[in-house]
């Protein structure tokens, strides 16, 4: 049989229960009505029902704006719809109502661990992360870490039963995006010790270590990620760049060639292959062909404009070199490499007037 919600006669303050009428206070009816819409919203947490679910949570919030659960419920739906800004706002409202920041003290007893606060900081961290607000995501994930350190192992095991890898990956990547390479490596090393065969953990750890310029170690994790997912273009790119840095050029050339064969519109592969060749002063004419292809596909990328300009510099075509590198500076005037190239070109251009 179907379980139906009991009908509520809100305007009169009367609740129908079985075959008898019971008088209820307006406060009780209001609370029950908010709960009705909260339950209804939760029942519709499937694609195709999101708008109806959000409408239910809107009503629940209108009736009871002091319930953190109502804001968390709607925030979860916004997150599922990729409305990360709206999700973040709802999680923030829930955190404020929970006074969750004040709960980051050692619970007494430990079985009173503030599980909802943990969940809210995690959810807001994920929303900030998806929204591109990496510094704020870092702060939220730090709260998650603070709370997790208060929990007994049995509680922590239950909390992490479904989301530990998401937290560790996101926290590590947020640190990486903010330039905190050591912190990112620390987080991702924990993740890889728990999930050694996870592609994203190995890939992001390779990226973090590469960003810290420890190229030999980065090779290990990029290689592992590519072993896990042999079709990953991102892993091929990362490993090829790493091979360049450690001068395993036969391997980098092989990967760039493979990337171009897989996708003849991969401008990054054309460019990086070209830059690798020009940096080692090898086959400059072929490097120029590759760089021209990259520019043809993506004409407004500063790195690609700098590469072709640098090739012309090595070919002693200084005016062309100056023109392309000057264009590169229009799109990125903060790159030390491009500025150095432009300075070198200007000096030789003046000498050869």
């Amino acid at each position: 049989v179907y379980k139906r919600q009991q009908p509520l006669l809100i305007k009169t303050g009367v609740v129908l229960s079985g075959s008898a009428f019971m008088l209820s206070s307006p406060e009780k009816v209001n609370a029950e009505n908010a709960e009705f819409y909260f339950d209804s919203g939760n029942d519709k947490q499937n694609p195709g029902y999101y708008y109806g679910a959000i409408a239910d949570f809107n009503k629940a919030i209108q009736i009871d704006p002091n319930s953190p659960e109502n804001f968390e419920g709607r925030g979860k739906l916004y997150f599922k719809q990729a409305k990360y800004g709206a999700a973040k706002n709802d999680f923030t409202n829930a955190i404020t109502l929970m006074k969750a920041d004040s709960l980051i003290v050692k619970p007494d007893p430990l079985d009173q661990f503030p599980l909802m606060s943990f969940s809210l900081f995690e959810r807001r961290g994920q929303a900030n992360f998806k929204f591109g607000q990496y510094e704020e995501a870092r702060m939220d994930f730090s709260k998650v870490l603070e709370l997790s350190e208060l929990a007994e192992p049995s509680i922590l095991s239950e909390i992490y039963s479904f989301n530990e890898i998401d937290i560790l990956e996101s926290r590590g990547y947020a640190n990486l995006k903010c330039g905190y390479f050591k912190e990112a490596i620390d987080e991702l090393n924990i993740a890889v010790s728990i999930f050694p065969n996870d592609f994203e953990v190995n890939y992001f750890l390779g990226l973090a270590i590469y960003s810290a310029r420890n190229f030999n170690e980065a090779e290990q994790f990029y290689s592992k990620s590519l072993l896990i997912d042999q079709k990953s273009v991102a892993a091929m790119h990362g490993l090829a760049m790493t091979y360049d840095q450690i001068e395993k050029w036969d391997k980098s050339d092989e990967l760039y060639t493979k990337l171009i064969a897989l996708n003849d519109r991969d401008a990054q592969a054309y460019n990086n292959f070209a830059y690798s060749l020009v940096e080692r002063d090898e086959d400059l004419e072929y490097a120029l062909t590759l760089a021209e292809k990259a520019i043809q596909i993506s004409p407004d990328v500063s790195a690609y404009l700098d590469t072709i300009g640098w090739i012309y510099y090595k070919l002693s075509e200084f005016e062309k070199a100056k023109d392309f590198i000057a264009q590169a500076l229009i799109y990125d005037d903060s790159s030390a490499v491009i500025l150095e190239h432009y300075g070198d070109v200007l000096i030789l251009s003046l000498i050869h007037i």
Side-chain angles (χ1 to χ4, degrees):
V1 295
Y2 289 106
K3 182 180 182 297
R4 299 175 64 87
Q5 295 285 343
Q6 292 184 349
L8 301 174
L9 306 181
I10 305 303
K11 291 184 179 178
T12 61
V14 176
V15 181
L16 180 64
S17 178
S19 59
F21 288 92
M22 299 188 303
L23 291 176
S24 300
S25 69
E27 292 81 5
K28 182 177 180 182
V29 172
N30 242 25
E32 289 176 350
N33 198 31
E35 186 177 342
F36 169 84
Y37 285 116
F38 176 86
D39 290 340
S40 179
N42 274 333
D43 287 342
K44 297 173 182 173
Q45 298 251 357
N46 293 311
Y49 295 94
Y50 289 158
Y51 290 105
I54 286 174
D56 285 333
F57 279 114
N58 287 342
K59 291 176 182 176
I61 290 168
Q62 184 179 6
I63 295 164
D64 185 2
N66 297 314
S67 166
E69 290 85 356
N70 290 340
F71 283 102
E72 183 187 30
R74 189 175 67 179
K76 286 157 64 176
L77 281 166
Y78 281 139
F79 189 91
K80 287 181 179 181
Q81 293 180 296
K83 297 179 178 179
Y84 302 121
K88 171 189 172 178
N89 290 338
D90 273 350
F91 296 140
T92 298
N93 283 327
I95 287 168
T96 301
L97 290 168
M98 282 280 296
K99 296 183 173 60
D101 282 296
S102 65
L103 296 177
I104 302 183
V105 294
K106 193 169 184 65
D108 188 19
L110 279 173
D111 62 2
Q112 293 177 0
F113 179 77
L115 183 57
M116 186 173 177
S117 297
F118 181 97
S119 172
L120 286 169
F121 283 118
E122 180 203 346
R123 294 188 192 284
R124 190 174 68 176
Q126 295 284 6
N128 274 317
F129 179 77
K130 294 286 189 179
F131 204 43
Q133 296 179 332
Y134 299 112
E135 188 63 50
E136 293 184 38
R138 286 185 70 248
M139 294 175 67
D140 281 331
F141 291 134
S142 294
K143 298 284 189 184
V144 173
L145 181 61
E146 287 180 60
L147 284 164
S148 67
E149 288 174 347
L150 302 176
E152 290 182 324
S154 60
I155 298 172
L156 198 59
S157 175
E158 181 178 341
I159 294 166
Y160 275 150
S161 62
F162 68 96
N163 60 12
E164 180 176 18
I165 194 166
D166 291 336
I167 294 172
L168 291 169
E169 279 182 7
S170 299
R171 194 161 62 205
Y173 189 61
N175 277 313
L176 176 60
K177 290 291 286 186
C178 293
Y180 298 96
F181 302 134
K182 181 183 181 302
E183 291 84 350
I185 292 166
D186 289 344
E187 295 286 355
L188 291 164
N189 267 323
I190 296 171
V192 84
S193 70
I194 303 170
F195 306 100
N197 296 314
D198 182 85
F199 167 79
E200 290 187 345
V201 168
N202 281 278
Y203 172 77
F204 285 132
L205 183 52
L207 178 58
I209 294 170
Y210 181 96
S211 300
R213 304 189 67 77
N214 188 344
F215 304 119
N216 286 296
E217 190 178 351
E219 179 190 0
Q220 172 190 344
F221 293 101
Y222 274 139
S223 295
K224 181 67 178 291
S225 67
L226 188 56
L227 185 64
I228 295 167
D229 182 357
Q230 298 180 18
K231 295 181 179 179
S232 170
V233 170
M236 288 183 212
H237 272 291
L239 188 55
M241 291 172 64
T242 303
Y243 284 146
D244 265 338
Q245 294 291 342
I246 58 180
E247 300 183 1
K248 292 184 178 181
W249 290 310
D250 56 334
K251 292 186 175 182
S252 64
D253 290 356
E254 181 182 347
L255 277 174
Y256 288 134
T257 301
K258 182 176 181 179
L259 284 163
I260 292 167
L262 288 170
N263 178 11
D264 65 1
R265 300 287 297 172
D266 189 338
Q268 184 182 353
Y270 286 111
N271 176 77
N272 289 359
F273 196 178
Y275 193 71
S276 174
L277 290 170
V278 72
E279 281 294 274
R280 43 188 152 126
D281 286 315
E282 287 185 16
D283 206 346
L284 295 182
E285 291 298 334
Y286 183 49
L288 181 59
T289 300
L290 293 168
E292 287 173 339
K293 183 67 174 178
I295 293 293
Q296 179 186 342
I297 297 167
S298 299
D300 301 330
V301 178
S302 60
Y304 303 171
L305 291 164
D306 174 70
T307 294
I308 195 168
W310 195 235
I311 294 168
Y312 278 124
Y313 172 86
K314 291 295 184 80
L315 292 170
S316 299
E317 296 189 41
F318 301 119
E319 283 305 310
K320 286 184 178 179
K322 184 172 71 173
D323 288 345
F324 276 110
I325 298 177
Q327 288 181 59
L329 286 171
I330 293 172
Y331 295 104
D332 181 7
D333 62 0
S334 63
S335 168
V337 172
I338 298 176
L339 288 167
E340 181 183 348
H341 286 172
Y342 193 57
D344 291 343
V345 169
L346 286 178
I347 291 169
L348 285 184
S349 295
L350 292 172
I351 292 173
H352 290 83
I353 290 176

